[in-house]
Amino acid sequence: MTRLRRLGCVLGVLVVGSWPTGGGAHAQAPNQTSEPNTPIKHFIVLMQENHSFDNYFGTYPGADGIPPGTCMPVDPFDAKNTTCMEPFHIGDYPIEDLDHSESTSNLQYNNGRMDGFIYALNQRNQDGVSAMGYYDDHELGYYWNIADEYVLFDRFFSSASGGSAINHMYWVAGAPGSESGRVPPGGYGDVPTIFDRLEERGISWKFYIENYDPAITFRTVVPGEDFGNRASQIVWVPLLNYDRYLDDPNLFSKIVNLNEYFEDLENGTLPAVSYMVPSGASEHPPGSIRAGERFVKTLIQALMRSDAWSSSVFMWTYDDWGGWYDHVPPPQVDKYGYGFRVPALMVSPYARRGYIDSTELDFTSPLKFIEENWDIEPLAERDARANSIASGLDFSQPPREPFFISFSREPDKLPAEPRRGVIYIAYGAAIVFAVLMIAIVSITDKNGSDQRTTDPKLRKEDAIS
Amino acid sequence: MSAALGLRVWGLSRVGYNTDEAVYAGQAAAIASDPTLKEIFPVFRAHPLLFQFMLALVFHFGVSDLAGRLVAVLIGLATVFVVYLLGKLLYGEKAGMLAALILALMPYHVVVTRQVLLDGPLVFCSTLTLYMLARFALTERPAWLYSAGVGMGLTFLAKETGIILMGAIYAFLALSREIRIRILDIALATILTFLMIVPFPASLLLAGGTRSGKQYLVWQLFRRPNHTWDFYPTTVPVAIGFLVIAAALLGLWFLRRQGTWRERLLVCWILVPVAFFQLWPTKGFQYLLPAAPAFAVLAGRALAHWPPTQVIPPLNRYLSIASFNKLVTGIVAISLLIPSWRAIQPSTTGSYVAGTGGVPGGREAGEWVRENIPQGAKLITIGPSMANILQFYGHRKAYGLSVSPNPLRRNPSYEPVFNPDLQIRTGDLHYIVWDSFSAERSAFFSEGLLKIAEKYNGRVVHVESVMVKLEDGTTVAKPVIVIYEVRP
């Protein structure tokens, strides 16, 4: 080996070694391809905000919803105070943003007794009774209709008992990202994400953000200043807290405005894996949940209209429970969680119809699906152990045709079902009567014909004609 | 009859339904309980359901546009036969044959009886009524008057506008003193007419359609004119045939000395509907069709007795009477055949007059919609015409932008879109369909629709084109229907 060639090898190793592989990223196995193991070529997952399962689907028929007789003690720590509050239908009653910090979660959980939902909020100077409110198909017609047709997961837990930041990290990295569960001042550093893995494998991906502002990153946001509520962009998009995703033009170019989702669908360039987060339509209280439904509806309809539909899975879930009541004690798999259950639904041509999937899942379950579908090694212990959302899919069935689900729970106003028998009898009788009448008159007209040939007046007229 | 059949079935299914055909066939499919179309097309709309009922019997074996049109053709052929009987009854075998030939070749009748329209059955029933009335006049047997009453009821059940021919009957009877008739017989015949009409209100009442019937009546009474006064004078004579009208008029003049109640009957049968619909604000190409058989018989009579005695002597010098007769008949027949042949060819101009045939590209666009657009998707078109076609073939809900939100200004059968912007933003409208035929009639709404398409990221997902001839004779593909996908 010449000196020059040896130098080239050393430089090559250095170049490869300095490539941002995502910290603990694994090298690509030699025989791996980017082809999926199932008919699913496009996986899309959206993260909405702040609702518990019981808050949205607690009264959905067949789901593990609010148990009959539920009455939440106002103060579980005062044995003399037996006052309790039953769950109530919120309807259009205005609501506030309920506290959903880790400490509130712990109080509400109350060591598995699940009886501190009101008390915890009262401790935050909020109206704790609000936690017992729930929505039903009057407000959630679209989601309930989706559940009727596709898959509703009723044991889908938030990954951590904290709020948005840690749960979004579990969503993309299968890990809390930091010891505290918050975004560290210097970003997430080398914590690997699923996008690192996809990048290594040459599998396409994008992170779509509604009303994306590329200027809002962990480097530019000063809490309480500059960007106001828009600062939540860095909480909901963990990638904006990574130096490598901001500095590498290739990676940064894949964090895009949501408009590109529609364009990608139209152009047939939808990537294999799509993550997306909302902005104004997040359903985060006190925001409009109907606006969120319409937002989700638009995304699903666009997918259904595209060529990608027949090989896609679209699912969405909620980053935390938002302070709302849920009756299922979350299994404690490690010191971070699980947190309370959140709603999660899945739409796909391969989704089971009207299926309530009770597999135990969390935010790492979508990662599990991606990893299994594209032969990707797990990112962390959580996603390695997680169950996949594939339990809601049935690949033995032919892909279902796209079908636009109604926004309203009530069926579209159809014309009143007429009594068709009346039409058949009335018009049929008219025709039969007319035919009989004419036939009888014609047959009995022989005399008339005879008269016609003998009547001098008629003969004269005929002659004229 | 073979000429009649040939003209009516040639390329019958080459072009899909127009809006009226789509509506009637959709109604028939709804009566036949077609699982998809019954949720899009209400059974009760504007008219009685005799024809739709007959179509429904066929559609029980499957909804097919060709089957629907074949039913219309059969009824058209039956009308030609009745005209033969009528001509023969009134003026003899030869006149009957010639009248049937004229109707068989007449563009007006050919065009309408190739379509799933109510006017074909209406003309059959009214011509049958005319025949029975003629038999009554001839025999003075009340039974024939009663039969005419029954026929009049059937005419109404085919299309309610046929009721105006009762005016023709009364006018004829009033003007024909030589026909002996008792008031009682007229009353009985009238009662029979109304008895025959009973299925219309009875089914509305008992089968749940009262509301739609009342609304339609109100709308019809107060709607604005849809054509100018010269619509009929400029369209119908061409469709009937100038030579046919000329022959009928010349026959009335030259054979006036041989005139009897027969001509009075036929003239009444022509004048009453013509006068009525000329005054009635709503005008339609096919509305005057009931007068066509009477024209055919009068023209047949003239040709059968041509040339009149006044022109025989000078004519004899050049041509035998028989040869002249055949020549004139041939010229009249060819003058009908050529425009009929042209009329049954698909439009090569990209424009379209309602009632004159199918809408080029409409069926294909609808079938594309059915194959490629998700179920539950909703469309908006310039007007309800294209919406009806897309609903029938596409099995998707479609709205017309031009349908007024004001109930007094719209056909109650149509559902308006109050705020298309909002509906697109909320994901309740998904496709915009522009078509050249509606755009030609309504530039305002065409422009409005295209603005919406532009505003909501309209992306062309399908185009239907027809080959059109330009002024320089070259043929090019002209887009006639364009489907845009829109999103907020």
Side-chain angles (χ1 to χ4, degrees):
Chain A
M1 185 181 286
T2 65
R3 188 177 294 176
L4 189 63
R5 193 174 291 177
R6 198 177 302 153
L7 180 65
C9 288
V10 171
L11 284 174
V13 169
L14 286 174
V15 167
V16 170
S18 65
W19 192 260
T21 54
H26 291 65
Q28 178 182 344
N31 60 347
Q32 285 176 320
T33 70
S34 59
E35 286 301 305
N37 292 323
T38 69
I40 303 305
K41 295 177 182 168
H42 306 282
F43 178 74
I44 305 150
V45 59
L46 163 73
M47 185 69 92
Q48 293 288 89
E49 296 288 317
N50 291 41
H51 289 279
S52 70
F53 184 87
D54 280 348
N55 180 239
Y56 265 18
F57 291 95
T59 57
Y60 184 81
D64 184 4
I66 302 168
T70 294
C71 196
M72 182 61 52
V74 171
D75 186 351
F77 304 103
D78 181 358
K80 293 177 187 167
N81 188 348
T82 55
T83 309
C84 66
M85 298 300 296
E86 293 179 357
F88 65 94
H89 178 221
I90 300 171
D92 291 325
Y93 187 76
I95 47 136
E96 60 179 329
D97 180 13
L98 306 181
D99 187 83
H100 46 283
S101 61
E102 187 178 353
S103 55
T104 294
S105 171
N106 290 336
L107 266 179
Q108 292 182 325
Y109 178 67
N110 194 14
N111 293 317
R113 286 190 283 276
M114 302 292 284
D115 57 4
F117 284 90
I118 295 174
Y119 177 82
L121 293 180
N122 284 340
Q123 296 303 304
R124 307 287 175 208
N125 287 327
Q126 289 189 313
D127 179 9
V129 175
S130 300
M132 300 308 291
Y134 64 85
Y135 297 100
D136 63 14
D137 56 348
H138 291 91
E139 298 79 34
L140 296 164
Y142 185 66
Y143 290 165
W144 281 45
N145 286 337
I146 288 276
D148 287 352
E149 281 294 321
Y150 295 99
V151 177
L152 170 68
F153 297 102
D154 72 351
R155 289 189 73 79
F156 197 108
F157 295 92
S158 50
S159 292
S161 56
S164 293
I166 188 170
N167 278 309
H168 277 87
M169 268 308 280
Y170 271 111
W171 185 43
V172 301
S178 70
E179 192 68 23
S180 67
R182 299 188 188 90
V183 181
Y188 287 117
D190 288 340
V191 177
T193 73
I194 190 66
F195 307 109
D196 297 317
R197 295 279 194 271
L198 295 168
E199 196 66 23
E200 288 165 11
R201 291 283 310 284
I203 296 168
S204 57
W205 64 273
K206 272 188 183 175
F207 203 116
Y208 298 102
I209 306 164
E210 188 188 22
N211 299 323
Y212 176 44
D213 183 348
I216 304 176
T217 70
F218 81 104
R219 292 170 181 165
T220 58
V221 168
V222 177
E225 291 181 20
D226 297 326
F227 301 107
N229 286 338
R230 301 289 308 279
S232 59
Q233 180 175 284
I234 63 164
V235 177
W236 296 353
V237 187
L239 305 190
L240 296 176
N241 300 298
Y242 280 87
D243 284 322
R244 66 174 180 277
Y245 282 96
L246 299 179
D247 296 336
D248 183 332
N250 172 49
L251 297 178
F252 193 61
S253 70
K254 296 178 180 182
I255 305 169
V256 296
N257 195 295
L258 186 68
N259 277 349
E260 280 194 26
Y261 168 69
F262 299 102
E263 289 162 11
D264 285 338
L265 287 172
E266 289 170 2
N267 300 330
T269 53
L270 184 72
V273 174
S274 303
Y275 270 56
M276 48 178 69
V277 293
S279 175
S282 69
E283 301 169 54
H284 193 305
S288 162
I289 58 174
R290 287 197 177 92
E293 279 190 294
R294 288 196 191 96
F295 172 68
V296 173
K297 179 182 168 187
T298 307
L299 298 173
I300 292 175
Q301 286 185 346
L303 177 64
M304 286 184 166
R305 289 198 276 189
S306 75
D307 294 336
W309 162 254
S310 59
S311 56
S312 294
V313 164
F314 182 101
M315 74 166 293
W316 74 103
T317 182
Y318 294 77
D319 72 335
D320 59 59
W321 86 116
W324 301 101
Y325 167 70
D326 191 79
H327 79 279
V328 176
Q332 298 303 292
V333 296
D334 56 31
K335 68 174 182 177
Y336 295 106
Y338 297 147
F340 296 116
R341 287 187 311 167
V342 289
L345 297 104
M346 181 167 67
V347 172
S348 167
Y350 293 98
R352 298 175 192 275
R353 188 184 293 271
Y355 183 63
I356 298 173
D357 190 334
S358 299
T359 308
E360 191 173 290
L361 304 167
D362 77 320
F363 297 140
T364 63
S365 295
L367 293 174
K368 185 76 170 184
F369 176 79
I370 295 168
E371 290 158 3
E372 287 181 347
N373 200 42
W374 280 280
D375 285 329
I376 293 171
E377 291 191 28
L379 292 156
E381 196 182 334
R382 276 284 193 96
D383 58 316
R385 284 205 321 254
N387 292 314
S388 168
I389 49 97
S391 51
L393 301 170
D394 178 6
F395 295 116
S396 66
Q397 68 180 14
R400 289 161 62 182
E401 291 295 316
F403 174 69
F404 282 5
I405 302 292
S406 170
F407 195 74
S408 165
R409 195 67 172 154
E410 292 170 7
D412 283 346
K413 201 182 259 184
L414 298 176
E417 191 69 12
R419 287 187 284 275
R420 292 179 170 79
V422 173
I423 297 168
Y424 283 107
I425 291 169
Y427 284 90
I431 289 176
V432 169
F433 178 74
V435 169
L436 283 177
M437 172 95 185
I438 294 167
I440 290 167
V441 173
S442 298
I443 291 166
T444 58
D445 192 41
K446 191 169 181 301
N447 294 335
S449 300
D450 293 343
Q451 181 197 1
R452 186 168 177 265
T453 55
T454 53
D455 187 329
K457 186 183 92 176
L458 294 178
R459 276 189 301 163
K460 185 183 170 192
E461 283 185 353
D462 286 348
I464 291 168
S465 303
Chain B
M1 284 304 273
S2 42
L5 179 66
L7 280 173
R8 282 161 181 77
V9 299
W10 178 267
L12 186 62
S13 194
R14 197 163 38 192
V15 179
Y17 281 168
N18 59 41
T19 177
D20 289 339
E21 291 183 281
V23 166
Y24 301 136
Q27 275 184 291
I31 295 172
S33 287
D34 179 84
T36 308
L37 292 175
K38 77 174 185 179
E39 296 190 357
I40 297 176
F41 290 93
V43 167
F44 296 104
R45 288 172 78 110
H47 305 291
L49 299 170
L50 183 68
F51 185 42
Q52 296 90 321
F53 158 77
M54 292 164 69
L55 282 180
L57 297 177
V58 176
F59 284 173
H60 269 291
F61 302 99
V63 176
S64 147
D65 57 358
L66 178 61
R69 281 189 174 153
L70 283 173
V71 173
V73 166
L74 280 177
I75 292 170
L77 294 177
T79 310
V80 171
F81 182 68
V82 175
V83 162
Y84 160 71
L85 293 178
L86 180 66
K88 182 183 170 194
L89 180 75
L90 295 178
Y91 300 114
E93 177 81 23
K94 189 178 176 186
M97 292 291 283
L98 287 167
L101 177 69
I102 289 167
L103 194 74
L105 302 179
M106 184 186 287
Y108 203 12
H109 195 254
V110 168
V111 164
V112 173
T113 54
R114 285 168 57 91
Q115 301 174 60
V116 179
L117 296 176
L118 304 186
D119 303 85
L122 164 72
V123 172
F124 170 74
C125 295
S126 65
T127 309
L128 194 63
T129 305
L130 180 61
Y131 172 75
M132 290 184 288
L133 188 63
R135 288 204 73 155
F136 165 72
L138 204 59
T139 62
E140 293 182 0
R141 283 191 68 209
W144 280 115
L145 187 64
Y146 305 153
S147 299
V150 169
M152 197 65 242
L154 272 186
T155 304
F156 178 94
L157 289 182
K159 192 174 180 181
E160 73 285 357
T161 53
I163 200 72
I164 59 156
L165 289 170
M166 282 188 84
I169 296 174
Y170 291 132
F172 164 68
L173 293 176
L175 293 171
S176 305
R177 288 187 181 175
E178 66 271 39
I179 297 170
R180 287 167 296 176
I181 184 167
R182 293 184 304 166
I183 298 295
L184 179 66
D185 291 334
I186 294 178
L188 281 174
T190 306
I191 289 168
L192 279 170
T193 298
F194 284 102
L195 272 179
M196 285 295 292
I197 287 171
V198 162
F200 178 48
S203 58
L204 279 176
L205 199 66
L206 299 174
T210 325
R211 186 176 161 79
S212 59
K214 282 178 188 169
Q215 286 176 335
Y216 184 77
L217 183 65
V218 170
W219 176 71
Q220 275 291 18
L221 288 174
F222 295 103
R223 67 178 288 191
R224 283 180 280 196
N226 60 340
H227 288 289
T228 53
W229 68 270
D230 60 344
F231 176 72
Y232 289 128
T234 53
T235 56
V236 173
V238 183
I240 289 177
F242 285 118
L243 290 184
V244 172
I245 296 172
L249 293 176
L250 288 173
L252 284 174
W253 177 254
F254 283 115
L255 302 174
R256 63 186 180 279
R257 289 186 185 166
Q258 300 165 36
T260 65
W261 56 264
R262 293 167 170 80
E263 295 74 50
R264 206 178 305 132
L265 173 64
L266 296 171
V267 168
C268 285
W269 211 255
I270 292 170
L271 285 183
V272 168
V274 168
F276 178 86
F277 284 115
Q278 185 58 43
L279 295 174
W280 190 248
T282 311
K283 293 177 170 55
F285 171 75
Q286 66 275 31
Y287 287 5
L288 297 186
L289 194 62
F295 269 115
V297 173
L298 283 174
R301 171 213 185 204
L303 292 177
H305 298 92
W306 198 266
T309 48
Q310 296 93 317
V311 296
I312 286 177
L315 186 68
N316 264 340
R317 281 184 235 161
Y318 308 103
L319 205 61
S320 73
I321 297 297
S323 302
F324 181 76
N325 208 311
K326 283 177 187 166
L327 182 67
V328 171
T329 302
I331 289 170
V332 171
I334 289 170
S335 76
L336 294 172
L337 183 62
I338 291 171
S340 281
W341 179 251
R342 283 186 184 151
I344 64 175
Q345 307 305 318
S347 166
T348 56
T349 62
S351 61
Y352 168 78
V353 176
T356 55
V359 171
R363 173 175 57 198
E364 291 72 19
E367 287 173 347
W368 184 89
V369 164
R370 189 168 56 191
E371 294 296 321
N372 295 282
I373 285 183
Q375 286 181 42
K378 291 175 181 168
L379 305 91
I380 185 164
T381 62
I382 296 174
S385 302
M386 184 52 65
N388 286 331
I389 295 169
L390 293 176
Q391 288 192 137
F392 181 78
Y393 287 112
H395 291 189
R396 303 290 184 274
K397 187 76 184 167
Y399 302 90
L401 182 65
S402 67
V403 173
S404 172
N406 181 350
L408 295 174
R409 291 278 175 266
R410 70 163 183 261
N411 182 330
S413 307
Y414 297 134
E415 206 177 324
V417 172
F418 290 94
N419 187 342
D421 286 76
L422 178 64
Q423 289 197 247
I424 292 173
R425 288 203 305 274
T426 55
D428 293 322
L429 266 180
H430 314 99
Y431 294 89
I432 282 177
V433 184
W434 178 92
D435 71 281
S436 65
F437 315 106
S438 307
E440 193 177 68
R441 291 200 300 269
S442 179
F444 174 79
F445 287 106
S446 166
E447 197 179 319
L449 195 80
L450 291 176
K451 274 183 187 167
I452 295 173
E454 189 182 350
K455 187 174 175 183
Y456 291 102
N457 308 294
R459 186 173 69 101
V460 175
V461 290
H462 185 70
V463 177
E464 283 294 335
S465 301
V466 295
M467 302 307 289
V468 297
K469 273 188 184 167
L470 301 178
E471 286 180 359
D472 62 3
T474 54
T475 305
V476 295
K478 178 185 175 186
V480 288
I481 301 172
V482 182
I483 303 178
Y484 297 85
E485 185 181 281
V486 286
R487 61 176 169 82

